[in-house]
Amino acid sequence: MDLRWDILAGYGPLFAEGVITTIELTLVAIVAGLALGIAFGLISSSVNAPPPRSLAWAWALKVLRGITTAYVTFFRGTPLFVQILLVHFALMPALIHPDSGWLLSGDAARTLRQEHGAFFSGCLALSLNAGAYISEIFRAGIQSIHLGQTQAGYSLGLTHAQSMRYVILPQAFRRMVPALVNEGITLIKDSSLVSAIGLAELALAARTVAGAYSRYWEPYLAISAIYLVLTLVLSTLAKRLETPAYQRGR
C-alpha cells in the first residue's frame, strides 16, 4: 500500500480549522450538556425527596418529571444523526428566520444563518443529546449514595436542596467522573456527524481531501490520529478528578 502523505500538505489550514471547530463544538456541548444534565438529573432524583408542602409545587414537580422523562427518552432513543438533521432543517428555521423567526428575524437572522447556522445547529443538537445522557449519569450518581446520608442531613436541619448541595453531590460527582469522561469522549467522536450539515470540522476536511484526490487512506487515517490524540488528552486530564484508589468503596 503506497501512502502519499504529501497530498495533505496543502490542506493544513483546513485540518487546523477542523480541529478548532471540533474542540469548540465539544466544549460547548459539554458545558451546555452539564447544565441541562444537572437540572434534569435533579428533577429525576426528586422523586425520592420529601413531598412539598405546597400542592401546586407538588403538581409542578410531577409535570417537570414527565417532561424530563420524555426529553431523556427521545434523545437517548433516537440517532444523533437524525437529531442533527431535525435541529438544522426543522428547528433552527423556526427559531431563526428572516421572515418569521420565533427568536430572531430580519437581516440579523439571515446573516446568522448564513455565517454561523451550521455551527449553532451542531452545538444545539450535541448539547441536547449530551444533556439527556448526563442527566441519567447524575440521577444514577445521586442514587448511588446511601439514602441514610440524606436522612442524616435532614436530621441536622438541612433542607433537601442543602443536603444535595453539601452532602450528596460532592460525593456523587466523584463517582460520576468516569461516566462523564466517557460522554466527553463520545461527544468528540460524534462531532464528526455535524459534517453532514456542512460544518467545516475534521470529517469534512478529510472528505474534501478524499474528493480531490480520490484517496481515502491518508485523510481518514490522519483524522483518526487527531481524534485519538484529543480523546487521550481528555482521558488523561480527567484522571486527576477521579477518586483516589484508597478512597474507593467508601
Side-chain angles (χ1 to χ4, degrees), residues 18-19 21-27 29-30 80 126 181-194 201-203 223-224 226-235:
V19 171
T21 302
T22 297
I23 294 174
E24 289 175 344
L25 275 172
T26 304
L27 289 176
I30 288 176
L80 175 57
L126 290 175
V181 173
N182 287 337
E183 179 61 22
I185 291 172
T186 300
L187 284 173
I188 291 176
K189 295 183 292 184
D190 286 348
S191 66
S192 62
L193 296 174
V194 182
E201 45 74 65
L202 281 171
I223 66 168
S224 295
I226 294 172
Y227 281 123
L228 182 60
V229 170
L230 291 176
T231 56
L232 287 176
V233 169
L234 178 61
S235 299

Side-chain angles (χ1 to χ4, degrees), residues 23-245:
I23 294 174
E24 289 175 344
L25 275 172
T26 304
L27 289 176
V28 171
I30 288 176
V31 173
L34 272 174
L36 290 172
I38 292 172
F40 286 113
L42 290 174
I43 291 172
S44 297
S45 62
S46 67
V47 68
N48 297 321
R53 297 179 182 178
S54 169
L55 182 61
W57 182 236
W59 277 103
L61 276 178
K62 287 185 179 180
V63 171
L64 289 174
R65 283 196 290 266
I67 293 173
T68 298
T69 300
Y71 163 73
V72 171
T73 300
F74 176 80
F75 281 97
R76 293 182 70 210
T78 57
L80 175 57
F81 182 71
V82 175
Q83 296 166 19
I84 292 172
L85 297 181
L86 275 174
V87 169
H88 186 65
F89 294 109
L91 180 59
M92 290 302 289
L95 297 177
I96 302 174
H97 194 275
D99 300 324
S100 57
W102 295 348
L103 295 181
L104 188 65
S105 59
D107 292 337
R110 184 179 294 105
T111 302
L112 183 63
R113 288 287 303 276
Q114 290 175 350
E115 296 182 1
H116 307 289
F119 181 78
F120 276 99
S121 296
C123 287
L124 181 58
L126 290 175
S127 298
L128 290 172
N129 183 272
Y133 283 93
I134 293 175
S135 71
E136 288 297 282
I137 293 172
F138 267 85
R139 181 188 61 79
I142 290 170
Q143 292 180 349
S144 72
I145 305 300
H146 196 278
L147 186 61
Q149 298 201 34
T150 307
Q151 294 172 341
Y154 297 156
S155 68
L156 294 174
L158 298 179
T159 64
H160 178 71
Q162 290 172 331
S163 297
M164 282 290 165
R165 179 180 177 184
Y166 297 112
V167 180
I168 303 302
L169 287 179
Q171 301 178 74
F173 181 75
R174 287 278 185 165
R175 300 185 180 185
M176 299 174 198
V177 168
L180 291 174
V181 173
N182 287 337
E183 179 61 22
I185 291 172
T186 300
L187 284 173
I188 291 176
K189 295 183 292 184
D190 286 348
S191 66
S192 62
L193 296 174
V194 182
S195 64
I197 58 175
L199 186 63
E201 45 74 65
L202 281 171
L204 187 63
R207 199 162 67 212
T208 301
V209 177
Y213 290 92
S214 295
R215 296 186 64 90
Y216 301 93
W217 278 103
E218 295 89 349
Y220 288 112
L221 282 176
I223 66 168
S224 295
I226 294 172
Y227 281 123
L228 182 60
V229 170
L230 291 176
T231 56
L232 287 176
V233 169
L234 178 61
S235 299
T236 302
L237 293 176
K239 283 182 179 180
R240 297 179 178 273
L241 299 176
E242 292 185 13
T243 305

